[in-house]
Structure formats: structure tokens, C-alpha cells
Amino acid sequence: MSEAHKREEKLGAVLFQVQEDLRKLRCSLEKITDKDKTLDVEAFDSAIRETESKIKRHAEDYLNTVTKQPLVLPAIEDLPRRTVHIPKCLKYRKPALEKPAREGVLTVHPKREDLPGPSHGEKLKSTLAMRSLCNSTHPHNRAVQQKFQISLPDVHERSKKASQRTMAGPVVSRQVTEPKSRKNLGVLEEDMRRVSETSLLCTSIKHKAASLHPREDSSSPKMGLLGSKPRRDKQLKLESEPGLTSETTGREYTSPWTAKTPPPSTNSKNLDHMGMIQGTDDFIPKNPQNTVLDLPVQVPAYISKYSFTIIKGQINPMATDFCLFKESFSLCWSTVLDALEALQKLLRDFAVPLAKGVVGLVVRPGQRFKGEGGTEAAATHIQSCWRRYLARTAYLHHCRRKWAAETIAMSWWMHNQMCYVRKALQARRFRQLENHRSRAQHLAANWKHIQSSKRTIIHIPSLGLSQSQRQKLREFNILQNTQLCRLCDIRDENVEVIYVCPRHLGEDILQYYTSVLRCERVADGADTRTAQAPSCSSRRFVILTPEAVDYFPTHNMCLSTLLKYSPHTLKRIWNLIQGKQAYIVGGVAHVDDLAVADELGVPVLASEPAIAQLYSTKSGGRRIFAGAELDVPPGQGDIYSLNQLHETLAELMTQNIDVKRWLFKMDSEYGGRGTAYCDTCHLSCYNWALREYHRYDPEKWKTAWNQESVLLRYLDEIPEWLARYARPAKTSCYPTWASFLKTFLRQGGVVEAYPPSESVTCLTVDLLLEPGGEVTMLSCGDQLHGSCQLESLGSTVPQTSVHPDTLNSICVRVGQACLQRHIVGYISLDLATFVNPNTMEQKVWAIDLDLAYSNQLAMTQMLLMMTGGTLNCCTGCLEVPLPIREACCGHRTAAKPPVMNRHAVIGSSLFHSNLSMLYHHVFLKICKVHGVGFNMKMKQGTVFALYDSIERCNMGMMTVSEDLQGALVTFAQNLSVIHQEISASKMQGETNFKELIKEIEEVLHMTGKNKMRAVEDKTAA
């Protein structure tokens, strides 16, 4: 065994000597120059390199055979692709906790899973060899010590003293500094001993991948120049930390490798980067002419005997420290030499003056282009950036074009889908319209038969207003439910009612109406809580609420639309009308009325929605009145521009100079909301215009040339006059004239005169335009106004302001004009009557037309239900049968009972915010205590109409008395009592009770005057 070891040592020494001689020969040949000719160094060098590579390969094969362990070195060419982390700062701690790491040399962590594992026998041999190698006095180690004149260190003994050496050759003198980072040139002696130990272990038979330089202790992760990552990463990464400069004078050195550095932030990286750019040039000594000087370098005292210096990418092979380093790695020098050559090339490429500043200069922008091949590298980098810019630009352009193409395609697809859906909806609505016309013809042909037989009326009190109008209305569903009294249609024994309610009604309201419709004495002492509802089979009315009410609670959708999206309710209605004559009575017409009728397969007692929307406007009503040849207020409709408004108003004011107030009405507003007014007394030129008018007689004033001066004067002053003095009738809807005018011009409207009289009475007449072509008056009453004189809150039934014959004639003409325009169903006509001050004759103007079922008609149905009477509009009388003691409430005698006249006051839009504090049964008990109730025997008293179980702020009320004055007094007293009971002195609430009481007092005062005048006229006669 000793002879074998000797041969192995001898062969190793020979191979190493040959390799060293070849390297020296190549170095010397590079310096040889011939005076007459140039030596072909390249050819000679290539031959030497080939021989050297072969010998190196044989030496490595031999070493691999001996150690059974391949050496693994890092791939220096891959260094630019490694991840470099530059921490911001270092924190010092005691050096005893962790050993200082080597600087400037890479610590390589090989991929152990890629190496073959040793067998058990090889592990045993490796253990024995390790023991022998660790013992410097072992016989096997003597030959190596004698041959190479080196003293192997004792692995188990560490010297804790650092030696100080000075490099030979051209050196640069500089200040002695202490190590502040892992980038310093020096390596501590004890670290180099670990290197030597590892190098010796690499030549042993230990079957593990050994790194060229020692690793850090496991207790101090991420503290070397090259931090080790977990084994799962399977990649090598370079880690370095910036050093800190300090002076050794008067200060004790603290090892920076014992500090754990926090990860750098973006700001710290930027600051460190700027500091490195500014401080890198300080490593190179310069003269005043800014040129580099070759000054001797004083090596720091802490550099170990195995360290060496690389200046400007060159290693001095004759330097003592390099020779010592070379001897320490003599057994694997060929592999280390390749790494050193790659390291020198890297330093030359980045023009690193001193190896200490490797990391700082390598990461410095543009540093690569200052070294060898910098021009070519810069050109390559510029070309790659330009190509990348072109590719990126082309890619972005492609993305934009792709996005544009996708947008266009999606838009086109959506357009096609919308067109398809639009066409499908148009086809469906056209089919529904055709079905409606077909069923309307059948209804007209069989109307007489239907009216005389059993039938079912489906009441849908829908307000089919535009979406913008519906969104502006507060408590829209309550407004749609103010016609709950339609249930009283069951007073006809042949009628069954299906009422579609826009809100969920409470049990108290259901019991109340059940008792009222059964003619029980609800208001005369019956308790609504104890009233038992009859069975469903015996009831002739059904109240249904669409399930879509819960789906769209805040959308203010009209009732027809809600019913359209309620399949369960539609199915139930369809089941209830099977095998019966049925038709729908709606409200304000909407296209969804036809959809509901088509789903149920029943006709609608109304005109087509398009026709209804055309003639239900203020301008459309004036066209119908003109066709009926009725007297209308001076005015003009279909105004859509400001200039048209000013010119039309100037002409009307010039022609009707005696009119003192002008009204502005929107075409499609609801309930008096879209009305404004302006008085001519505020016009500065009005008195002058009156003088001009009186200069001529009325016939001459009609000529245009007499009116020209006044017209021009009006045109000049009207814009300012309107801006200053025009006022909306309901400021809660439109607070200013500007807001009103904007909506007025967008929707279109009418300008007309207010009656030129101090006493004006408005009345409402409800008509039924039967499909058979007949016109029937169902209700008529004089209007009662609140704070706004242009909004109706109630009426007195029957009307007493116009002679019944005159009223009947007007109604017939309006009905015939509507039938000619294919308008059928329920309509409401508003008239204004006054005494002309010039002729002292009564004038009747037609002022408005609503093609819908009115609140007055619904309250009239309740009035007729409670009194059991009939309203004869031709005679203007409410006839109520006298009570018969022998007869019961539900029986009729064979002979026609005598009748008596009654007068009623009805209010369908009463509001008081404090009503919400009382439940309905409590409210009715309070009224009973104060004697507010209805006497079924005398057919007079008070009846309430309840609309809502949740808010409870709105209600209707009806009073019946023997004369009009008694009904008005009772109505006013009831309002006063209710207000006092539910209001405190400091909590009056929001209400319209007070305005209505004031209006009633004025009517009573006027009625008293008329009676006194009638008595005087009778006495005089």
C-alpha cells in the first residue's frame, strides 16, 4: 500500500509539474518578439493549449479515480444571470457569534441530487481517509509535505490570529481600512484554513459534492457573499452586501459579517446605487491631471496568507500572495485557473480597477461599456433595445388593433342583437295590437249583451306615465291605489270585480272594505277587527297584488308593467275568469296594458295606447275641443321653443287685452303639477296698452295694423316680465320659473288665458264612451281646491254650477268627437264656468281632457254603493230611496220606493303626516267617539276610503247630507276634528286639511250669497 501511495504521489507531482511548465512557456512566448519578424504566437499557443487541455483532462481523470468524487465548480459564464441583492445597511453584533465569511470569492452550493451516491464500502473508505487526512502527522501525508515543501494544517486546531502581508511588485499605497462588507479583498486566515481543509477533502474519497470555498455555519443563514437558498430552488444566486467605511485609529474593529441585514427597500437601493456611482472612482488613485497612477498598495493587516489582489482585471503571477494561493490549490489548480481567467475577463469587461469594488461597479449603469469589448457590447445593447422597442411598438400597435377589432366586433354583435330584439319586440307589440283590435271589435259587437249578463271586470288602476314623471312622484304606488273604491262596482249583482292592487294591503283594510261592501254599519259602531270576512266562494270581489311589487320596490313602475312580470298573478286571474265574460278597465294607458290583455285573452275597455297618449295631452285636448266646437280659453298649443312662446304670448295678449292672468300648462304632467301663471299687472306697458285698446272700438281693434304697436311693445318686455314674475303653481315640483320653463319646452305645452272673472268655478264630468257608440255621463261635480287654485282635491256631487242641459250638450259633443278619433272607455272632462263681466252672461270653457278613470268616479261609485241611490246627471240630482222599516237592507219591494235628493262632498286626496301615528281601527274609534259615522237608515253621514296599511298618511272621505251646505259643513268639521285629535300645538304636521277647510268656507260664503240673492229675486218677482 505504501508503494502504491508513492506512485500515486509521484504521478501527481509529475502531472502538476508538466502542467505548470506548459503554462509558464505560454506566458513567456507571449512576451517574445523578434526584431526582424513576428513570431506566430497564435499557432504555437494553440498547440500548447491543446496539449495542456489533454494533460489537464488526464490529471482530472486520475484525480477522479483516486477520490471517486467529481469536482463541481460554478459556471462563471452564468454569473450575469444570477440574482444580485444589495442590502442597504449592515448591523453589527459580536464577532464571537459567527465566523467572518470570505470576500471576493464565490461560495458554490452544488446540486447534490444530480451526483451519484456512494455505496456503503465507499462510505467506510471515505471515513478512514478523512481521519488520515485530518491528521497532519499521518505517514500518508509526509510525502506530500516533503515533496511540495508545505505544512498541512491541523484541521481540528484553528489559529485565531490574522497575519498581515504586503504585496510585492507595483502596488498602490492606500489607507488601511477595516472590513465593512463582504466585498473586501482580504480573506481572514482562519477562513483560508477552512479553504485548505475543504481542498484536501476534495481529493479524498468522500462522495459528496465539495464547494471550492467554505460554506457558512448553518446557524447564520444568508451571511456569505453567496447566500444559500433552500434545496428546492435548485439554482445558484449571488448575494452581496455593501460595506461601510471606517478608520482604525482609536476604534476597535467589529466584524460586519456577524450582522443580519434586512432586505433593502426601493429607496435604499436607489441611494446605494447613486452612492456607488459617485464613489467608485475613489478606488483608483489619480494625479491632478485625472490619470491613474501606479502607486504601491498597502495590503490591509487582516488579509490572510492565501489572499491575492486583482488590479484592472489582471493578476500578477509573480506576487507572493498569489503564489501562496496557487500552492494551496495545487491539486486542483487547472479547475481554479479556468475560474480565475473567467473572473479576470469579467473584471476587464466591467473595467473594475480593484477587486474590492466588483459588485458596486458591475451594477453601475454603463460600466460594462467601459471595459474590453465595450463598444461592441454597447452596439449590441443599443441594437437589442432598438429591436425591443420596435417589437414592443409593433406589439402595442397589434394590441390596439386587436382591441379595436374586438370592440368593433362586439359593438356590431350588440347592434345586431339589439336590432333583433327590437324587431322581435316590435313584432310582438304589433301582434298584441292586432289582437287588441280584434277583441275590441268583438267587445263592441256584444256590448249590450255583456252589460246585461254576468261579467267580470278586471280593474287595473295603472298610471302609465312616462318614466321621468313616475320617478318625480312621491309615493307612486299609493297614488295608483287611490281608486280602491272601484270595488264598489259589485253593487251591480251581475258584476264580479278582480282588483289588482299595487301595494300589499293589511288585514284591517281588507276587513274594512269587506264590511263596507256587505252594507254593514262599519262607521255606525261596528268593530272592523271583529268583522269576519266571508268565504271566497261567497265574495264577488278579489284583491290581488302582483309578486313583482316585491321585486321592484323603488322603481316606480306602473301597475300594468308589474302585472306583466308577475306570472303567478296572471295565472290566478286567468283561472278566475275561465268561462266568464270579462274585460279590463285600466287607468292611464300604457303599452303593457295590451301585453296583459294578450296574456289573459280579454279585451280592454280603452283606446289604443298611442291614441290615448296623443289626445290626453293639453294640446291634444284642445284639438278635440276644437273638433267638438266648444268654447275654449284663448290660447295656443304645441309650443316647443322660447321664441315661439314669446311670439305666441305677445299675440294672445294683444288680441285678448282684458285677460289679467295667463297660464302655462305642460302637455303631459299629472295632477296640476305642470302649471304656471303670470299676471299682466306686473307688465310695465300694460296700462299704456289698455289706453291704446280703448282708443278703438272692439271691431276696429281686431285689425292687425291697430295692434302692431302694442304687439311690438309686448315682444320687447315679455322676456323680462316672465323671468321676474312668472310663478309655478306648485313650487314643490318646480321651485323656479327657470326649472319649469326647461321642462315645459322639452315636453311641449299650452299657453291659455285664465277666465277674466273674480269668481270662477271648475267642474269635472266623467263619461263612458261605450264601444257601441253611446255616451253616458257617470259623474259630475264642482271642484274643491287647496292652496293651489289649479289643483283639485275634491268635489261636490252633483254639480250645481252649470245647467244640466248645457252640460249634457257639451258632454255629448265631446263624446262624439272622441268616438270619431277611436277613443273609447272612461274619460274625464274639466270645464270652467264664470260670468263674463262685459256681457254678464255665463261662459263655459273646456279646459282639460283626461282619457282615464278618475278618482272622482271611483268615489262616486262608493257614494252610490253606500246610499243605494243613482246619480241622474241629466237632471243634476242624487236620488236616494227613502228607508222602509219593514224592508231589510238587502231586500227590495215590488213597488218602486220613493226617493229623496242628497248632496255629497267627496275628497280623494286628503293628506296628513300625523295620520301615520294611528292604526286604522284606532282612527275609526276616535271618529266614532266624535260622532263621525254613516247612518245607513238615513243615508247620510261620513264614510272613509283607506288606501294604505303602512304609511297611513293618505285617505279619502265622503260626507252625505240633505243639502249642499250641510254636506260642506260636515266635511269641514270632520277635517277640523281629525286635525285636532292627531296634532299637538308643537307638532302640526304636514297636511292639506287647512287649505281645504278655507276653500269650503269660501264656498259656503258664496252659497249663502246666492241663496239670499235667489230669495230677493223671488220676492221682487
Side-chain angles (χ1 to χ4, degrees):
M1 292 296 295
S2 61
E3 293 296 332
H5 283 295
K6 290 181 180 180
R7 287 195 297 270
E8 293 173 0
E9 295 172 357
K10 183 178 181 180
L11 179 58
V14 171
L15 291 176
F16 176 76
Q17 187 63 36
V18 172
Q19 184 175 351
E20 182 65 18
D21 293 341
L22 289 175
R23 193 190 64 77
K24 291 181 179 181
L25 179 61
R26 185 181 61 184
C27 294
S28 61
L29 287 176
E30 291 178 354
K31 301 179 180 180
I32 296 176
T33 56
D34 195 353
K35 297 180 180 180
D36 299 331
K37 60 180 179 180
T38 303
L39 183 63
D40 191 0
V41 181
E42 295 182 357
F44 199 83
D45 183 64
S46 63
I48 295 175
R49 284 180 180 275
E50 183 178 359
T51 305
E52 183 181 2
S53 63
K54 292 180 180 179
I55 295 175
K56 187 190 301 183
R57 184 170 63 254
H58 290 300
E60 290 177 353
D61 293 341
Y62 170 75
L63 292 176
N64 291 339
T65 304
V66 174
T67 61
K68 302 296 182 179
Q69 172 76 41
L71 295 178
V72 180
L73 291 177
I76 304 299
E77 292 79 10
D78 295 336
L79 280 178
R81 295 193 295 271
R82 303 303 182 195
T83 303
V84 178
H85 301 282
I86 305 176
K88 180 180 178 181
C89 58
L90 289 172
K91 296 182 179 179
Y92 292 96
R93 64 180 182 181
K94 295 182 179 180
L97 298 178
E98 184 179 1
K99 301 210 178 274
R102 296 196 58 221
E103 300 180 357
V105 183
L106 301 176
T107 302
V108 181
H109 304 278
K111 303 179 181 180
R112 299 187 179 183
E113 61 274 17
D114 297 336
L115 302 177
S119 61
H120 294 285
E122 292 174 343
K123 291 181 179 179
L124 180 59
K125 294 180 180 180
S126 175
T127 304
L128 296 176
M130 179 65 68
R131 293 177 181 176
S132 62
L133 288 174
C134 294
N135 188 4
S136 60
T137 60
H138 194 274
H140 293 173
N141 298 330
R142 293 177 183 175
V144 180
Q145 297 177 12
Q146 295 174 1
K147 180 67 178 177
F148 298 102
Q149 287 83 32
I150 61 175
S151 178
L152 296 178
D154 191 355
V155 177
H156 301 286
E157 294 181 2
R158 299 276 181 155
S159 176
K160 298 185 180 179
K161 295 183 180 181
S163 62
Q164 178 178 355
R165 292 181 179 273
T166 303
M167 296 182 64
V171 294
V172 180
S173 64
R174 58 175 209 166
Q175 224 174 0
V176 177
T177 59
E178 296 180 354
K180 301 301 183 297
S181 70
R182 299 185 186 123
K183 299 185 297 182
N184 295 332
L185 294 174
V187 182
L188 297 180
E189 180 180 1
E190 57 187 19
D191 284 345
M192 294 309 302
R193 290 183 178 180
R194 294 174 62 187
V195 173
S196 176
E197 172 187 345
T198 308
S199 302
L200 293 175
L201 292 178
C202 290
T203 60
S204 66
I205 60 175
K206 183 179 180 180
H207 295 277
K208 287 187 179 181
S211 60
L212 180 61
H213 303 296
R215 299 182 185 177
E216 297 177 323
D217 296 337
S218 59
S219 61
S220 58
K222 299 184 181 180
M223 294 307 299
L225 178 62
L226 208 167
S228 60
K229 290 182 69 65
R231 187 175 298 179
R232 62 178 178 274
D233 293 342
K234 298 183 181 181
Q235 293 183 356
L236 301 177
K237 292 192 176 180
L238 180 64
E239 297 183 0
S240 62
E241 298 181 358
L244 300 176
T245 304
S246 64
E247 298 181 356
T248 58
T249 305
R251 183 186 304 178
E252 183 179 359
Y253 170 73
T254 304
S255 176
W257 294 278
T258 61
K260 290 188 178 180
T261 306
S265 62
T266 304
N267 296 332
S268 65
K269 289 184 179 180
N270 295 336
L271 294 175
D272 294 343
H273 179 66
M274 294 176 62
M276 287 187 291
I277 293 177
Q278 296 174 0
T280 304
D281 295 338
D282 297 337
F283 296 149
I284 306 174
K286 299 181 180 180
N287 60 6
Q289 288 76 23
N290 201 26
T291 59
V292 181
L293 299 179
D294 293 335
L295 301 178
V297 177
Q298 185 176 1
V299 181
Y302 55 82
I303 297 178
S304 68
K305 64 181 180 179
Y306 299 116
S307 64
F308 63 94
T309 305
I310 304 176
I311 301 177
K312 297 182 182 179
Q314 297 292 336
I315 300 176
N316 186 4
M318 307 304 296
T320 304
D321 54 356
F322 181 75
C323 294
L324 293 176
F325 175 80
K326 179 179 178 182
E327 290 178 0
S328 64
F329 292 96
S330 59
L331 297 180
C332 57
W333 181 248
S334 59
T335 307
V336 175
L337 185 61
D338 292 339
L340 293 178
E341 290 176 355
L343 180 60
Q344 292 181 71
K345 184 177 182 305
L346 176 65
L347 298 179
R348 289 195 301 270
D349 290 342
F350 286 89
V352 179
L354 199 62
K356 180 180 178 180
V358 173
V359 177
L361 290 178
V362 166
V363 300
R364 182 177 181 180
Q367 187 67 27
R368 171 64 184 89
F369 310 130
K370 296 181 180 179
E372 293 183 359
T375 304
E376 293 78 4
T380 303
H381 184 71
I382 292 173
Q383 291 177 3
S384 63
C385 291
W386 177 249
R387 292 192 185 99
R388 181 173 59 199
Y389 168 75
L390 293 179
R392 179 65 177 174
T393 303
Y395 173 73
L396 294 177
H397 181 66
H398 169 72
C399 291
R400 286 193 296 269
R401 292 173 63 88
K402 182 180 179 182
W403 172 82
E406 292 176 354
T407 303
I408 294 173
M410 182 59 65
S411 300
W412 178 250
W413 182 81
M414 290 295 296
H415 172 73
N416 290 335
Q417 292 294 321
M418 290 294 293
C419 290
Y420 172 78
V421 173
R422 189 178 293 109
K423 290 180 180 179
L425 289 176
Q426 289 176 354
R428 177 180 297 179
R429 289 175 180 174
F430 181 77
R431 183 173 64 255
Q432 293 171 356
L433 181 59
E434 291 295 326
N435 295 338
H436 166 73
R437 291 173 179 173
S438 176
R439 288 189 289 265
Q441 292 178 359
H442 180 270
L443 181 65
N446 299 275
W447 179 251
K448 295 294 184 181
H449 173 70
I450 294 174
Q451 286 295 98
S452 60
S453 60
K454 290 186 176 296
R455 59 194 183 276
T456 300
I457 303 177
I458 305 172
H459 281 285
I460 307 175
S462 174
L463 294 180
L465 305 174
S466 64
Q467 183 177 359
S468 60
Q469 293 174 340
R470 297 197 307 268
Q471 294 297 332
K472 294 178 183 179
L473 293 174
R474 186 180 64 176
E475 301 296 341
F476 181 71
N477 287 336
I478 296 179
L479 292 178
Q480 293 187 116
N481 203 36
T482 54
Q483 298 181 4
L484 189 57
C485 297
R486 291 192 190 190
L487 293 171
C488 296
D489 279 349
I490 64 171
R491 62 190 180 89
D492 187 346
E493 296 180 354
N494 293 327
V495 174
E496 294 181 358
V497 174
I498 299 176
Y499 181 83
V500 181
C501 183
R503 294 179 70 90
H504 294 287
L505 298 180
E507 190 64 26
D508 52 351
I509 292 183
L510 294 177
Q511 292 180 359
Y512 176 80
Y513 278 102
T514 300
S515 301
V516 169
L517 296 178
R518 293 177 59 191
C519 299
E520 293 181 1
R521 301 179 182 180
V522 178
D524 196 30
D527 190 355
T528 58
R529 293 179 300 173
T530 59
Q532 299 295 328
S535 61
C536 295
S537 59
S538 62
R539 291 169 55 181
R540 291 190 292 116
F541 72 94
V542 177
I543 300 177
L544 301 177
T545 302
E547 62 267 21
V549 171
D550 300 327
Y551 305 152
F552 309 100
T554 61
H555 289 70
N556 282 9
M557 301 173 68
C558 67
L559 187 56
S560 297
T561 305
L562 293 174
L563 184 58
K564 174 185 176 181
Y565 297 120
S566 303
H568 296 289
T569 306
L570 288 174
K571 182 65 175 177
R572 186 176 179 185
I573 295 174
W574 187 82
N575 293 332
L576 291 173
I577 64 175
Q578 284 299 303
K580 301 178 182 179
Q581 296 284 349
Y583 58 89
I584 294 176
V585 177
V588 179
H590 194 269
V591 291
D592 288 338
D593 294 344
L594 304 185
V596 172
D598 199 56
E599 289 289 334
L600 299 176
V602 295
V604 180
L605 185 57
S607 56
E608 298 177 8
I611 297 175
Q613 293 173 5
L614 176 63
Y615 291 105
S616 62
T617 62
K618 301 297 187 291
S619 301
R622 290 183 65 88
R623 287 193 290 268
I624 291 179
F625 298 152
E629 299 180 354
L630 297 179
D631 293 336
V632 294
Q636 180 65 41
D638 298 318
I639 296 177
Y640 293 94
S641 66
L642 188 60
N643 291 334
Q644 183 185 5
L645 174 63
H646 293 164
E647 294 175 359
T648 302
L649 185 58
E651 293 178 0
L652 292 173
M653 292 174 63
T654 304
Q655 296 171 2
N656 304 273
I657 203 167
D658 57 335
V659 176
K660 297 182 180 180
R661 173 174 289 187
W662 291 90
L663 303 179
F664 309 91
K665 299 180 179 179
M666 295 182 186
D667 267 340
S668 55
E669 266 295 356
Y670 172 79
R673 294 163 47 91
T675 305
Y677 63 91
C678 193
D679 296 329
T680 57
C681 63
H682 301 293
L683 197 61
S684 60
C685 65
Y686 181 68
N687 293 330
W688 171 83
L690 285 177
R691 290 194 298 268
E692 290 294 321
Y693 171 75
H694 290 301
R695 289 176 54 189
Y696 307 94
D697 55 45
E699 294 297 332
K700 291 183 179 180
W701 181 253
K702 294 180 181 179
T703 58
W705 65 271
N706 290 330
Q707 301 175 359
E708 184 176 1
S709 60
V710 177
L711 177 63
L712 295 177
R713 187 76 176 270
Y714 277 166
L715 283 174
D716 293 338
E717 296 188 8
I718 279 178
E720 183 180 358
W721 172 63
L722 290 176
R724 294 183 61 184
Y725 299 104
R727 295 290 183 269
K730 297 188 68 174
T731 55
S732 60
C733 305
Y734 300 97
T736 62
W737 164 253
S739 60
F740 177 88
L741 182 62
K742 182 179 179 181
T743 308
F744 178 87
L745 296 178
R746 184 176 65 250
Q747 295 183 1
V750 171
V751 177
E752 63 183 24
Y754 187 80
S757 176
E758 296 180 357
S759 177
V760 180
T761 302
C762 298
L763 62 151
T764 301
V765 182
D766 293 295
L767 306 177
L768 172 60
L769 307 181
E770 299 181 0
E774 297 182 2
V775 180
T776 305
M777 295 178 60
L778 301 177
S779 176
C780 58
D782 297 328
Q783 294 181 4
L784 294 175
H785 304 281
S787 59
C788 177
Q789 294 296 322
L790 303 176
E791 179 187 12
S792 176
L793 298 179
S795 58
T796 60
V797 179
Q799 64 85 26
T800 57
S801 56
V802 179
H803 194 276
D805 294 338
T806 303
L807 183 61
N808 187 42
S809 175
I810 293 174
C811 294
V812 170
R813 282 185 289 173
V814 171
Q816 293 298 328
C818 291
L819 289 173
Q820 292 175 4
R821 291 165 176 78
H822 306 286
I823 298 175
V824 296
Y826 296 92
I827 66 172
S828 179
L829 174 64
D830 289 345
L831 304 174
T833 179
F834 61 95
V835 177
N836 191 343
N838 297 326
T839 62
M840 298 305 294
E841 295 180 356
Q842 185 180 16
K843 298 277 293 184
V844 180
W845 285 354
I847 59 176
D848 196 8
L849 180 66
D850 292 328
L851 306 184
Y853 201 103
S854 70
N855 294 342
Q856 176 181 283
L857 180 57
M859 294 295 293
T860 302
Q861 297 294 337
M862 189 176 190
L863 170 64
L864 299 179
M865 178 75 182
M866 297 302 297
T867 59
T870 57
L871 180 61
N872 191 345
C873 296
C874 295
T875 59
C877 297
L878 175 60
E879 298 175 351
V880 177
L882 290 174
I884 301 177
R885 296 180 180 179
E886 294 79 5
C888 297
C889 181
H891 296 279
R892 293 186 179 182
T893 57
K896 184 176 180 180
V899 296
M900 55 183 177
N901 294 333
R902 288 289 187 267
H903 291 268
V905 178
I906 58 179
S908 59
S909 303
L910 303 180
F911 173 81
H912 202 301
S913 59
N914 291 345
L915 284 173
S916 60
M917 297 186 298
L918 300 178
Y919 288 101
H920 290 312
H921 67 276
V922 177
F923 170 75
L924 293 176
K925 284 186 175 181
I926 292 176
C927 292
K928 177 183 176 182
V929 170
H930 289 276
V932 179
F934 190 80
N935 190 333
M936 293 295 298
K937 294 181 178 180
M938 301 302 298
K939 305 297 183 183
Q940 60 184 10
T942 303
V943 180
F944 296 99
L946 307 179
Y947 302 143
D948 178 44
S949 300
I950 301 175
E951 300 294 336
R952 300 188 301 276
C953 295
N954 297 269
M955 71 173 184
M957 186 174 66
M958 174 183 64
T959 59
V960 183
S961 182
E962 295 180 355
D963 55 2
L964 179 59
Q965 187 174 4
L968 289 172
V969 170
T970 304
F971 197 92
Q973 290 178 351
N974 292 342
L975 293 179
S976 179
V977 168
I978 294 172
H979 176 70
Q980 293 177 4
E981 288 295 328
I982 65 177
S983 302
S985 59
K986 295 183 180 180
M987 192 177 64
Q988 294 294 311
E990 183 181 356
T991 180
N992 55 10
F993 285 10
K994 296 180 180 180
E995 291 80 7
L996 193 54
I997 292 174
K998 186 181 298 184
E999 174 73 9
I1000 292 175
E1001 289 176 353
E1002 294 178 358
V1003 173
L1004 289 174
H1005 181 70
M1006 184 63 63
T1007 303
K1009 285 185 177 181
N1010 292 337
K1011 284 186 176 183
M1012 292 178 61
R1013 186 179 301 172
V1015 172
E1016 291 177 358
D1017 293 342
K1018 186 177 180 180
T1019 304

